[in-house]
Amino acid sequence: MQKLFFILTGIILLFGCATVPTDPEAYEAYKEANDPLEPLNRKISAFNDVAEKYVMRPIGEGYRSVTTPVARSSFRNFVINIKTPLYIINDTLQLNLKDALKNISRFTINSTIGFFGFFDVAQRLGIETDANDFGKTLAVWGVPEGPYLVVPFMGPSNFRDVLGQGSDYFINPPLYRLFASSKSDIGIALSYERSYFAPLVMYEKNMNLIDDVRSSSLDPYINIRTYSRQLRRKSVNKAKGVSNIENKKSYDFDMDDEEDE
Amino acid sequence: MKKIFYVLLSLVLFTNRVYANENAEKLIQQMADDIMSKIVKSSITIDAKEKEFEKIFRGSTNTSKIAKFTLGRFSKTIDKDDFIRYENTLVNSIVKTWTKRFVSYAGETLTIKSSSQEPGKDVFVNSIIDIPNTEKDVEVIWRVEEKNGIYKLVDIIVEGISLVQSYKNEYTSVLQRNNGNIDELIDLLKSKTETPKFSK
């Protein structure tokens, strides 16, 4: 394990670190980007693009061609419902009991009246919450996000969220594991859902967005970095209980500082 | 002493107060209505739609401010002619990209919910876009500046993603890699606009 750590550190130091600019303004931009591993991240991003093009895209197109928009929406509901116990655990860890109770209600209603979660009846009843994960829990506990990272096959992230994703896998409700290890039908179905189905269902939804970013961006890597970071910041701020008005202040950056008045 | 206390208290209350702004809301509603009637529902050619959208966009947006902001630190060294060339190329790129998006309209509806403005600051108009067959509405915030009673759009924030911030990060990265050469950025923008590969 120690050996692996040193090998990985060596690779990052040899191939992965961006040159720190000496010009003060360029250095400010470098700090703001928070991407010291940019050369390595760009390589992983290029690899992910190839994997997306030749593996995920044909599967996604195939899935899209045999399903209707309404069916795909139902599958997404199902996937979100199966993940809801994880949201409840993280809501509780963040001491957000209001959302924990909402998610308990959502899971109960959608798993029963909503036919195993295929129909989001709870939303129609006005019970809505956001997805939650251990990355957000770490943020609420005060863990800084760390530098930007591109994870092979998974895409944009950061050190804190990588740790969060790993932890989510282990804290995922033990009931699912029990079913999976017992080799019962439901357990096998759930394990397939977790490993193959959920990523496909969520990927399909974003296929057009990926095309759009690629076709309109001068530098898709930078665009995806900006998009993912801003989206995540909004979501983390919400988990931290930052009010809408306070959250809005993050968009209220000074647009006049570059202007000649 | 008591007077000073009340002055300070009223200052604190005043500066923290957030107001709604009907004029900014009207600007966005008018823009959305114009796009719907003159572009989305119109049966004119794509070129004519682009021209219509350019009129709407230039009329309701502070394009110069956006252009300057998106150049970041490089805006300080650019000369006037180059800046005008860049601004026109940027507007052209936005117009062409967005007109294509409006053409592939799939029943989305925009609803303005509210607006908020702190004294001396820009107005934020909150809205939602309902996209058919999706689980959640998309939150869109329109940042509108007010100067001498004239309202102009300066940014659009979609689900927390600021459009101008994204442009700035992307374009300054291109300029950084090309030693601040604005011609490289303009050429790249033109090539993207002229040979678009749009999604199905």
Side-chain angles (χ1 to χ4, degrees):
Chain A
M1 190 67 192
Q2 210 177 12
K3 218 174 181 179
L4 183 71
F5 172 76
F6 283 119
I7 290 169
L8 282 174
T9 312
I11 290 171
I12 287 171
L13 288 175
L14 266 175
F15 305 108
C17 286
T19 314
V20 181
T22 46
D23 172 62
E25 286 188 325
Y27 180 69
E28 271 310 304
Y30 169 83
K31 258 194 353 188
E32 198 186 311
N34 190 22
D35 189 6
L37 300 175
E38 186 174 333
L40 179 67
N41 281 337
R42 277 191 184 269
K43 286 190 179 93
I44 298 171
S45 183
F47 167 78
N48 283 351
D49 284 350
V50 174
E52 191 271 329
K53 191 176 172 187
Y54 293 105
V55 182
M56 286 304 283
R57 182 55 58 129
I59 298 171
E61 298 275 10
Y63 167 68
R64 190 177 271 184
S65 68
V66 295
T67 50
T68 63
V70 176
R72 291 196 291 273
S73 177
S74 292
F75 287 136
R76 284 196 294 272
N77 287 336
F78 173 75
V79 166
I80 290 166
N81 191 55
I82 260 182
K83 285 182 174 174
T84 303
L86 191 65
Y87 304 164
I88 298 165
I89 291 171
N90 280 299
D91 287 336
T92 312
L93 289 171
Q94 292 163 23
L95 299 179
N96 185 352
L97 300 182
K98 193 178 155 194
D99 276 3
L101 284 173
K102 272 190 185 176
N103 271 322
I104 289 170
S105 309
R106 282 182 56 80
F107 188 67
T108 312
I109 294 167
N110 288 343
S111 302
T112 50
I113 310 170
F115 194 68
F116 301 108
F118 281 105
F119 301 98
D120 194 349
V121 181
Q123 190 194 28
R124 283 176 208 168
L125 295 172
I127 309 168
E128 287 186 77
T129 53
D130 293 309
N132 210 342
D133 56 68
F134 198 65
K136 284 189 205 172
T137 301
L138 290 173
V140 170
W141 290 352
V143 178
E145 68 175 350
Y148 179 72
L149 269 186
V150 181
V151 184
F153 297 107
M154 293 174 83
S157 190
N158 56 51
F159 276 78
R160 182 179 64 203
D161 286 339
V162 166
L163 193 63
Q165 278 163 348
S167 307
D168 275 336
Y169 180 80
F170 288 105
I171 62 173
N172 198 36
L175 192 63
Y176 291 174
R177 294 175 177 286
L178 203 71
F179 276 131
S181 60
S182 71
K183 304 282 180 209
S184 68
D185 289 346
I186 189 168
I188 291 165
L190 286 171
S191 61
Y192 271 111
E193 177 284 319
R194 289 203 57 72
S195 43
Y196 304 108
F197 191 58
L200 171 66
V201 163
M202 294 308 177
Y203 163 75
E204 185 280 332
K205 191 186 175 191
N206 291 319
M207 269 170 28
N208 286 358
L209 186 68
I210 294 169
D211 285 340
D212 201 46
V213 169
R214 280 200 187 130
S215 67
S216 60
S217 294
L218 306 188
D219 188 343
Y221 173 83
I222 298 289
N223 233 333
I224 289 169
R225 187 177 73 190
T226 309
Y227 287 176
S228 59
R229 189 172 282 158
Q230 290 190 72
L231 265 176
R232 190 63 179 163
R233 188 176 301 148
K234 184 189 176 219
S235 173
V236 164
N237 277 348
K238 216 170 172 188
K240 281 180 172 174
V242 175
S243 71
N244 272 344
I245 290 171
E246 283 300 313
N247 207 6
K248 219 157 273 173
K249 281 183 182 163
S250 64
Y251 319 132
D252 199 7
F253 41 79
D254 191 0
M255 285 184 74
D256 288 316
D257 59 356
E258 316 288 0
E259 275 198 315
D260 304 318
E261 291 293 341
Chain B
M1 190 65 194
K2 216 172 170 182
K3 228 174 188 174
I4 295 171
F5 171 76
Y6 282 119
V7 169
L8 283 175
L9 183 70
S10 63
L11 262 177
V12 168
L13 290 174
F14 180 71
T15 49
N16 283 335
R17 190 155 291 171
V18 175
Y19 297 91
N21 191 314
E22 274 186 20
N23 292 323
E25 288 180 33
K26 275 182 196 160
L27 175 83
I28 303 307
Q29 189 61 61
Q30 186 61 53
M31 202 178 165
D33 291 346
D34 285 348
I35 289 169
M36 191 55 89
S37 63
K38 294 176 182 169
I39 299 162
V40 175
K41 291 187 174 169
S42 166
S43 53
I44 53 177
T45 62
I46 185 100
D47 288 345
K49 284 185 180 190
E50 281 172 1
K51 277 184 188 130
E52 278 298 334
F53 181 53
E54 186 170 350
K55 257 192 257 169
I56 298 168
F57 186 70
R58 283 191 186 272
S60 51
T61 310
N62 188 341
T63 53
S64 168
K65 185 170 188 165
I66 291 173
K68 226 161 205 177
F69 179 76
T70 54
L71 287 178
R73 65 186 191 278
F74 297 98
S75 69
K76 290 172 187 164
T77 49
I78 190 170
D79 71 44
K80 206 178 167 186
D81 289 343
D82 280 346
F83 179 75
I84 292 168
R85 264 193 323 124
Y86 165 70
E87 185 186 340
N88 286 332
T89 312
L90 177 68
V91 169
N92 190 39
S93 162
I94 292 173
V95 165
K96 281 186 183 288
T97 307
W98 283 87
T99 306
K100 284 273 191 307
R101 284 177 188 159
F102 297 138
V103 168
S104 56
Y105 171 79
E108 297 91 343
T109 51
L110 175 92
T111 310
I112 290 173
K113 303 295 259 185
S114 62
S115 62
S116 55
Q117 181 183 26
E118 286 183 39
K121 296 261 190 174
D122 290 343
V123 189
F124 288 91
V125 178
N126 307 305
S127 68
I128 51 160
I129 292 182
D130 178 20
I131 305 170
N133 293 318
T134 52
E135 295 74 36
K136 278 192 172 181
D137 295 334
V138 177
E139 183 193 48
V140 181
I141 298 170
W142 311 76
R143 181 174 173 177
V144 178
E145 67 160 19
E146 177 196 1
K147 261 186 189 161
N148 307 320
I150 296 169
Y151 291 83
K152 292 275 183 183
L153 179 69
V154 289
D155 193 11
I156 304 173
I157 300 120
V158 183
E159 287 291 326
I161 299 171
S162 152
L163 197 73
V164 294
Q165 189 75 57
S166 305
Y167 285 150
K168 182 186 175 186
N169 288 351
E170 195 179 3
Y171 298 168
T172 52
S173 157
V174 171
L175 287 167
Q176 173 76 30
R177 283 203 310 274
N178 291 290
N179 301 316
N181 186 349
I182 194 74
D183 290 328
E184 289 285 341
L185 177 61
I186 290 173
D187 288 347
L188 259 173
L189 268 171
K190 279 183 179 165
S191 67
K192 271 282 169 189
T193 311
E194 280 155 18
T195 53
K197 290 172 239 151
F198 290 99
S199 57
K200 288 168 198 171

